[in-house]
Amino acid sequence: MSPQIRPLSPELQKVAKEQLKEDPERLEADLQAFKTWIEQQPHLNPRMDDQFLVAFLRGCKYSLERAKSKLDKYYTLKTKYPDYFRITNTTDSKFREIHQTGAIIYLPTPLYENGPRIGIWRMGLVPVEKYTILECMQVAQAMQEIAILEDDYANVNGLVFIMDMKGATAAHLFQMTPSMAKKFTVFSEEALPLRLKAQHFINTITGFEQLFNMFKPMMSKKMQSRLFVHGNKMELLTEQIPLKYLPEEYGGENGTTQEIVAAMEKKLDEYADFFQENANFGTDESLRPGKPIDFEGLFGVEGSFRKLNVD
């Protein structure tokens, strides 16, 4: 039975071979080794479809050990912090309202046509008195899950993210607590199979520096080197992401928010059952072989503050 995986375009296949060490001849054996390991883990109950699992192999450049660790953390964190990471309802009215603001979008054309997928988060489009940052993160989380399953550009070339703070206020920023920041950072670096290639901040506001200085020490040195703060200098952003790859609202050619939101609304409908099924997958710590995970040490308030003062 050959793997049930969408064939990559010739351009992406080349990148997958050269940069991710993907060998189409060995793909089946690599997947089988991964599945065999999963079946031997009494505590782990993940999705088992090939398209989902290959995302973890690609995200870890075919290091089986790293893919195992990532998949385990992915489900461990979803189970331990369901409000953050286990999205089961994408038809909820609040969820859809946030999505319909167009605050969080993935653009239709990847960077340089074949490069990373570009995402934008415009914090200021979501009224802070109506929705929490956690509710916004749940929408972003659902989109990431869909990308894991069907976005070959994101899986092979990673993501480039733009945080545009135009219209946001300090109240938006202060919803983010240190322990929250720590959870998102760990999930993004250690559990998510999509590789973040760059994170740009534009139209930054008062209070941003505090938040930035809270997040930064929590990240690996590699991730820190991928953060770019442009203030309100749009030309610094477009040096790295040419204008044509931004949406029409920015003067670019990469779709309008309205079209992008409408297309994603359809997808969220199609994926409604998929997200409901998320409730069935996860980990059972009581069955974990070896030492239990020390969550308090990883995410305890003490831990996060102590980590902050290092810098």
Side-chain angles (χ1 to χ4, degrees):
M1 177 86 177
S2 61
Q4 301 296 299
I5 293 172
R6 249 187 334 275
L8 293 174
S9 70
E11 296 87 0
L12 284 178
Q13 188 66 72
K14 187 172 183 289
V15 178
K17 263 184 168 161
E18 290 168 7
Q19 294 179 22
L20 307 181
K21 309 185 178 76
E22 177 162 310
D23 178 353
E25 305 287 303
R26 273 196 34 214
L27 190 56
E28 197 175 344
D30 287 334
L31 268 171
Q32 197 44 58
F34 197 14
K35 288 179 181 170
T36 302
W37 174 80
I38 293 167
E39 280 153 10
Q40 293 163 350
Q41 306 310 306
H43 68 294
L44 186 57
N45 175 31
R47 290 185 181 277
M48 290 294 278
D49 41 312
D50 293 348
Q51 192 69 56
F52 175 73
L53 293 178
V54 81
F56 284 82
L57 291 172
R58 285 172 176 159
C60 296
K61 300 189 176 178
Y62 282 82
S63 154
L64 190 55
E65 289 313 306
R66 280 178 49 216
K68 291 174 185 175
S69 164
K70 223 173 234 282
L71 185 73
D72 194 348
K73 286 184 175 135
Y74 183 82
Y75 280 107
T76 301
L77 293 173
K78 278 175 175 288
T79 306
K80 175 73 176 172
Y81 304 109
D83 291 359
Y84 284 77
F85 305 119
R86 186 193 261 174
I87 311 306
T88 55
N89 182 356
T90 52
T91 53
D92 170 72
S93 58
K94 213 172 201 190
F95 183 100
R96 287 303 175 96
E97 284 165 25
I98 292 171
H99 176 248
Q100 283 155 4
T101 63
I104 305 160
I105 51 176
Y106 282 119
L107 306 184
T109 304
L111 186 58
Y112 303 121
E113 316 301 320
N114 285 304
R117 179 66 61 197
I118 305 165
I120 302 184
W121 186 336
R122 287 173 289 178
M123 225 178 212
L125 292 184
V126 178
V128 70
E129 58 287 345
K130 255 182 107 171
Y131 308 105
T132 67
I133 196 150
L134 187 53
E135 288 166 333
C136 295
M137 290 303 265
Q138 289 166 345
V139 176
Q141 183 72 28
M143 289 188 193
Q144 276 181 337
E145 267 186 63
I146 292 173
I148 289 171
L149 281 164
E150 56 172 63
D151 187 345
D152 292 329
Y153 293 100
N155 279 290
V156 173
N157 283 320
L159 297 170
V160 168
F161 226 85
I162 301 165
M163 170 70 89
D164 182 349
M165 296 189 168
K166 190 178 176 184
T169 61
H172 281 94
L173 299 182
F174 293 134
Q175 291 184 344
M176 181 66 80
T177 64
S179 75
M180 212 182 229
K182 182 78 176 140
K183 289 180 185 70
F184 289 128
T185 306
V186 169
F187 188 84
S188 156
E189 283 205 39
E190 297 184 28
L192 195 67
L194 304 174
R195 292 153 29 249
L196 187 63
K197 288 303 192 60
Q199 168 98 43
H200 298 274
F201 298 90
I202 186 92
N203 298 316
T204 46
I205 57 172
T206 313
F208 166 73
E209 215 156 285
Q210 263 172 292
L211 186 73
F212 187 74
N213 293 336
M214 173 171 86
F215 258 105
K216 200 175 169 182
M218 297 176 179
M219 296 180 170
S220 66
K221 287 285 176 257
K222 184 164 94 179
M223 276 317 305
Q224 290 183 22
S225 71
R226 295 177 179 180
L227 302 173
F228 302 94
V229 181
H230 305 301
N232 55 7
K233 299 190 177 70
M234 196 65 187
E235 66 279 8
L236 290 178
L237 176 69
T238 52
E239 273 171 25
Q240 298 191 50
I241 300 176
L243 189 60
K244 68 176 273 198
Y245 295 105
L246 294 177
E248 287 179 25
E249 288 85 349
Y250 286 80
E253 299 165 26
N254 209 346
T256 68
T257 299
Q258 203 181 349
E259 295 162 353
I260 294 166
V261 166
M264 183 51 83
E265 280 282 298
K266 275 211 188 81
K267 248 187 222 317
L268 289 168
D269 290 342
E270 285 164 22
Y271 272 85
D273 295 347
F274 167 90
F275 282 103
Q276 274 184 316
E277 288 162 12
N278 272 351
N280 308 327
F281 301 112
T283 56
D284 179 345
E285 289 307 313
S286 70
L287 299 175
R288 181 183 290 277
K291 266 201 337 238
I293 292 181
D294 169 22
F295 284 104
E296 289 315 304
L298 253 183
F299 296 110
V301 173
E302 242 219 299
S304 60
F305 280 111
R306 205 169 42 237
K307 186 86 185 278
L308 291 181
N309 298 333
V310 176
D311 221 30

